[in-house]
Amino acid sequence: MSEQVKISLDVMGGDNGPAVVLEGADIALIRRPDIRYVLFGDKDTIEPMLENFPRVKQASTFEHCDVMIQMDERPSQALRRGRGKSSMWNAIEATKTGASDVCVSAGNTGALMAMSKFCLRTMANIERPAIAAIWPTLRGESVVLDVGATIGADAQQLLDFALMGGAMARSLFGIERPTVGLLNIGEEDVKGLDEVKEAGRMLREFHLPHLDYKGFVEGDDLGTGAVDVVVTEGFVGNIALKTAEGTAKQLAEYLRSAMTRTWMARIGYLFARSAFVKLREKMDPNKVNGGVFLGLNGIVIKSHGGTDGEGFAAAIGLGYDMVKNGLTAKIEQDLTVYQKSRFAADEESAE
Amino acid sequence: MSEQVKISLDVMGGDNGPAVVLEGADIALIRRPDIRYVLFGDKDTIEPMLENFPRVKQASTFEHCDVMIQMDERPSQALRRGRGKSSMWNAIEATKTGASDVCVSAGNTGALMAMSKFCLRTMANIERPAIAAIWPTLRGESVVLDVGATIGADAQQLLDFALMGGAMARSLFGIERPTVGLLNIGEEDVKGLDEVKEAGRMLREFHLPHLDYKGFVEGDDLGTGAVDVVVTEGFVGNIALKTAEGTAKQLAEYLRSAMTRTWMARIGYLFARSAFVKLREKMDPNKVNGGVFLGLNGIVIKSHGGTDGEGFAAAIGLGYDMVKNGLTAKIEQDLTVYQKSRFAADEESAE
């Protein structure tokens, strides 16, 4: 496929401003020269900066936007103020008009989700969107969702998350039938939240061709990579994600402090330097930067607000891969198969 | 105070059997010679083993129990089969009769909680017990609760958890007015679960003399130790705890693998060996082993089932400290102050 991938960028989003976004765009373009950007931002700020990134300028169209969404703005206010006019809104809308295949923003998460829902709407038969994170594990990577799109989820919504997360794992990891687990506080069938138990029953019953349901998983199964897709509602998912990030930072700090405490340790550090560099890369949260909004009529990727150029490039790369591997088509396919299977089950029980 | 601390042990509990429990009892006794044990277990198993631990034998009374609770037994079945007869039940009941000041068990968590609730009952004005964990942080240690006693909690129950966790922090860390945070998915007042927001409003309103309420905290604040006491309901707390444990194991495995990959790294490891030993100690989950059951008429400590002698000794030490520092009295004191303050507020609003 020689087709270019069109990516719309909210150049104004993020804690560190447009420079990081443009730097990330440049890095991503070197790795994937068939990217074409549609940039949205403030003309007076962006146009002079673009001169420092000739590659990006060459591969982009630019559109001026009057409004820029603040990082601490309430979603409702952002929507009121930025609808139709902001760089964020326009970057999202581009995926709807076909001007782009995927939107990437490092802006305010709540505002990005509110605008994405309002502009793109949820897919047919999907009630709620989810944010999926890529979780580094001892086996490689897993998809974990929802990490904070909405609070609470009933059994049907958890099942929808499983289907969408499964489609994402198929797109991303190239597995035919990803393994799926429901996050719970015990592995036995009798334990945990009612909606989680009910979702487990449904997943077992429907025999979905593209999902290999493995039952309940616990918090410590996230890091080992016990399954390819971990499903939970947004409150728990968000706290699990941030707890893991916090623990990683804490241990990195322990390690740093242990390696500088004595002269012997410092000498040891010098010898093992390249090992530590590899370790730091492995623990770098930027490497897997990007939350994917699933369940909307368009793909939106949320980058960490505080990321650097490398991190933003990773988020762009993730969006690129999702498009190349036909994420949306895969989700639609899985949803259709499931709807048929559910319809058949309903027919049967009605007889 | 020259008073001895009487500790009842369920010698049969745990994955690794009585040997680990007795070894732990021995280690704890060396450190705190004023412990006296009340041991419950199977006569034929324990009595010969006690010969290997003369110190423990000397400081103990032993009582034979016919029933031993299995690690995978359902709580309801354990209660039916073990009530009045099992080593677990009797170790708990000893804190009620006054035969002991605190009970420590490495047995089945669900069964231990079910029996503790049934035997000890919840304290006046406390609806639900909680399990509090001691969380190692960059600043030292925090108390986190509930980590899995029950699923779900309303605003009043979260406030009770805050009071009990605060009393535990006062007992354990010797702080006059511990800082408290409610675990949520955003730090702004408008975000998150309704019951969490309501609990925050109540904590702010009541101006409790022994709690310094700091607002919402997020998952990544756990590792930094942003507050002394983190309050959440049991489902989220359990998943956060296990996620952190899993992440720590994952990073330890990354480190191990990085340090053995090349010869240079191995040489570096040799130089930095004592730093690594210190780091391993710091990351050792056994060091802070022990979940404290709060809100019952008696103190019960749950040790990790898979712990070793050192870990079990840590759980005993925790129980010892809780008794010496008057945990129960502190909880009762805090509850009384709160009830008065709530009563006054009710009076006021009724006028």
Side-chain angles (χ1 to χ4, degrees):
Chain A
M1 207 167 47
S2 70
E3 256 181 89
Q4 292 168 343
V5 173
K6 293 170 288 173
I7 300 180
S8 50
L9 300 183
D10 165 18
V11 189
M12 309 308 284
D15 300 332
N16 306 317
V20 162
V21 172
L22 292 178
E23 193 197 325
D26 196 40
I27 297 169
L29 193 58
I30 296 170
R31 293 180 192 152
R32 297 172 175 91
D34 56 340
I35 293 179
R36 289 300 169 268
Y37 293 116
V38 193
L39 308 178
F40 296 92
D42 177 66
K43 200 169 171 255
D44 295 341
T45 315
I46 305 302
E47 281 190 348
M49 290 179 90
L50 263 179
E51 298 307 319
N52 302 325
F53 300 98
R55 247 188 316 259
V56 176
K57 194 183 171 188
Q58 173 77 28
S60 304
T61 59
F62 175 72
E63 230 173 275
H64 170 74
C65 301
D66 283 325
V67 179
M68 166 185 167
I69 301 302
Q70 305 299 320
M71 290 307 275
D72 56 356
E73 212 164 334
R74 288 198 184 190
S76 54
Q77 195 200 335
L79 197 53
R80 214 163 36 237
R81 210 170 62 85
R83 189 180 158 196
K85 286 176 285 194
S86 61
S87 57
M88 185 183 273
W89 175 278
N90 281 287
I92 296 166
E93 201 181 32
T95 69
K96 193 177 169 185
T97 61
S100 82
D101 301 309
V102 54
C103 161
V104 183
S105 170
N108 178 333
T109 309
L112 189 65
M113 179 48 92
M115 285 194 187
S116 299
K117 279 203 283 192
F118 196 90
C119 179
L120 303 175
R121 306 282 162 188
T122 50
M123 297 170 82
N125 294 310
I126 293 286
E127 230 174 296
R128 284 179 171 198
I131 304 178
I134 296 163
W135 197 291
T137 72
L138 287 176
R139 283 200 318 132
E141 286 171 345
S142 299
V143 170
V144 179
L145 75 167
D146 172 25
V147 297
T150 42
I151 289 179
D154 62 21
Q156 178 63 53
Q157 286 159 354
L158 290 171
L159 193 141
D160 293 345
F161 292 174
L163 285 165
M164 298 193 295
M168 181 167 152
R170 287 167 65 207
S171 302
L172 208 61
F173 310 142
I175 320 168
E176 262 312 290
R177 200 163 176 246
T179 53
V180 176
L182 290 166
L183 193 59
N184 203 347
I185 65 169
E187 282 171 19
E188 305 85 1
D189 275 353
V190 292
K191 275 194 181 174
L193 283 171
D194 287 340
E195 51 270 34
V196 175
K197 287 188 269 184
E198 172 64 9
R201 201 193 51 73
M202 288 164 79
L203 277 165
R204 227 179 270 288
E205 193 171 292
F206 285 124
H207 294 297
L208 299 161
H210 292 127
L211 286 190
D212 183 7
Y213 176 60
K214 293 291 190 190
F216 298 148
V217 294
E218 296 195 71
D220 49 350
D221 294 317
L222 285 161
T224 55
V227 287
D228 299 315
V229 181
V230 176
V231 174
T232 186
E233 61 80 33
F235 189 84
V236 170
N238 185 275
I239 283 172
L241 180 68
K242 292 209 168 153
T243 301
E245 285 173 356
T247 306
K249 268 189 218 160
Q250 181 185 1
L251 298 189
E253 176 56 32
Y254 285 166
L255 181 62
R256 196 199 58 73
S257 134
M259 284 301 117
T260 50
R261 195 175 291 132
T262 65
W263 281 106
M264 285 285 272
R266 287 182 197 192
I267 294 167
Y269 176 80
L270 289 179
F271 272 100
R273 208 162 171 279
S274 74
F276 279 109
V277 170
K278 277 224 172 63
L279 183 67
R280 200 176 304 134
E281 275 174 19
K282 195 131 198 165
M283 287 174 66
D284 182 2
N286 272 336
K287 278 277 164 153
V288 287
N289 181 27
V292 182
F293 291 7
L294 294 175
L296 301 169
N297 294 304
I299 311 176
V300 176
I301 310 277
K302 167 68 174 82
S303 157
H304 260 299
T307 194
D308 59 12
E310 271 296 340
F312 198 79
I316 293 175
L318 180 61
Y320 176 96
D321 290 348
M322 301 274 97
V323 172
K324 277 280 180 191
N325 300 324
L327 172 66
T328 309
K330 283 198 173 73
I331 293 181
E332 277 166 1
Q333 184 190 0
D334 287 0
L335 283 173
T336 308
V337 170
Y338 161 66
Q339 292 297 339
K340 272 188 195 154
S341 149
R342 191 173 72 162
F343 187 69
D346 287 352
E347 289 275 284
E348 216 168 273
S349 65
E351 270 168 20
Chain B
M1 205 168 49
S2 72
E3 256 179 271
Q4 292 169 343
V5 173
K6 293 169 289 174
I7 300 179
S8 51
L9 301 182
D10 164 20
V11 190
M12 309 308 284
D15 300 333
N16 306 316
V20 162
V21 173
L22 293 177
E23 193 196 324
D26 197 39
I27 297 169
L29 193 58
I30 295 170
R31 293 180 192 152
R32 296 170 176 91
D34 57 339
I35 294 178
R36 290 299 169 269
Y37 293 117
V38 194
L39 309 177
F40 297 92
D42 177 66
K43 199 169 173 252
D44 295 342
T45 314
I46 305 302
E47 281 190 347
M49 289 177 89
L50 263 178
E51 299 307 320
N52 301 324
F53 299 98
R55 246 186 317 260
V56 176
K57 194 183 171 186
Q58 173 76 29
S60 305
T61 58
F62 175 73
E63 228 173 276
H64 170 75
C65 301
D66 283 326
V67 178
M68 167 187 166
I69 302 302
Q70 305 298 318
M71 290 305 276
D72 56 356
E73 213 165 333
R74 289 196 184 191
S76 54
Q77 195 198 335
L79 196 54
R80 214 162 38 237
R81 209 169 63 83
R83 190 178 156 197
K85 285 176 287 194
S86 61
S87 57
M88 185 182 276
W89 175 277
N90 282 287
I92 296 165
E93 202 181 31
T95 69
K96 193 178 169 184
T97 62
S100 81
D101 302 308
V102 52
C103 160
V104 183
S105 170
N108 177 334
T109 309
L112 188 66
M113 180 48 92
M115 283 192 187
S116 298
K117 279 203 281 192
F118 196 91
C119 179
L120 303 175
R121 305 283 162 187
T122 50
M123 297 170 81
N125 294 312
I126 292 287
E127 229 174 297
R128 282 178 172 198
I131 303 178
I134 295 163
W135 197 290
T137 73
L138 288 177
R139 283 198 319 133
E141 286 173 343
S142 299
V143 170
V144 180
L145 76 167
D146 173 23
V147 296
T150 43
I151 290 179
D154 62 23
Q156 179 61 55
Q157 286 158 354
L158 290 171
L159 193 143
D160 293 343
F161 292 174
L163 285 165
M164 299 193 293
M168 180 164 151
R170 287 167 65 208
S171 303
L172 206 61
F173 311 142
I175 319 168
E176 262 311 289
R177 198 162 178 245
T179 54
V180 176
L182 290 166
L183 193 59
N184 202 348
I185 65 170
E187 281 171 21
E188 304 85 1
D189 274 355
V190 293
K191 274 193 181 176
L193 281 172
D194 288 338
E195 52 270 35
V196 176
K197 287 188 269 183
E198 172 64 8
R201 201 194 51 71
M202 289 164 79
L203 276 166
R204 227 180 271 286
E205 192 170 295
F206 285 122
H207 294 297
L208 300 162
H210 291 128
L211 286 188
D212 183 9
Y213 176 59
K214 293 291 190 189
F216 298 148
V217 295
E218 297 195 72
D220 48 352
D221 294 317
L222 286 162
T224 54
V227 287
D228 299 315
V229 182
V230 177
V231 174
T232 185
E233 60 83 31
F235 190 84
V236 169
N238 184 274
I239 283 173
L241 180 68
K242 292 209 168 155
T243 300
E245 286 173 355
T247 305
K249 269 190 218 160
Q250 181 185 1
L251 298 189
E253 176 55 33
Y254 286 166
L255 182 60
R256 196 200 58 75
S257 134
M259 285 300 117
T260 52
R261 195 176 290 129
T262 65
W263 280 106
M264 288 283 272
R266 288 184 200 193
I267 293 167
Y269 176 80
L270 288 181
F271 272 100
R273 208 160 171 279
S274 74
F276 280 107
V277 169
K278 278 225 174 59
L279 183 68
R280 201 176 303 131
E281 274 173 20
K282 195 129 197 166
M283 289 174 65
D284 183 2
N286 273 337
K287 279 276 165 157
V288 287
N289 181 28
V292 181
F293 291 7
L294 294 175
L296 302 169
N297 294 304
I299 312 176
V300 176
I301 310 277
K302 166 67 174 84
S303 156
H304 259 299
T307 194
D308 59 14
E310 270 295 342
F312 198 78
I316 292 175
L318 179 61
Y320 176 96
D321 291 348
M322 302 275 95
V323 172
K324 277 280 179 190
N325 300 325
L327 172 66
T328 310
K330 283 199 173 72
I331 293 181
E332 276 164 3
Q333 184 190 357
D334 288 0
L335 283 173
T336 307
V337 171
Y338 161 66
Q339 292 297 340
K340 273 188 195 153
S341 149
R342 193 171 71 162
F343 187 69
D346 287 352
E347 290 275 283
E348 213 168 277
S349 66
E351 270 167 21

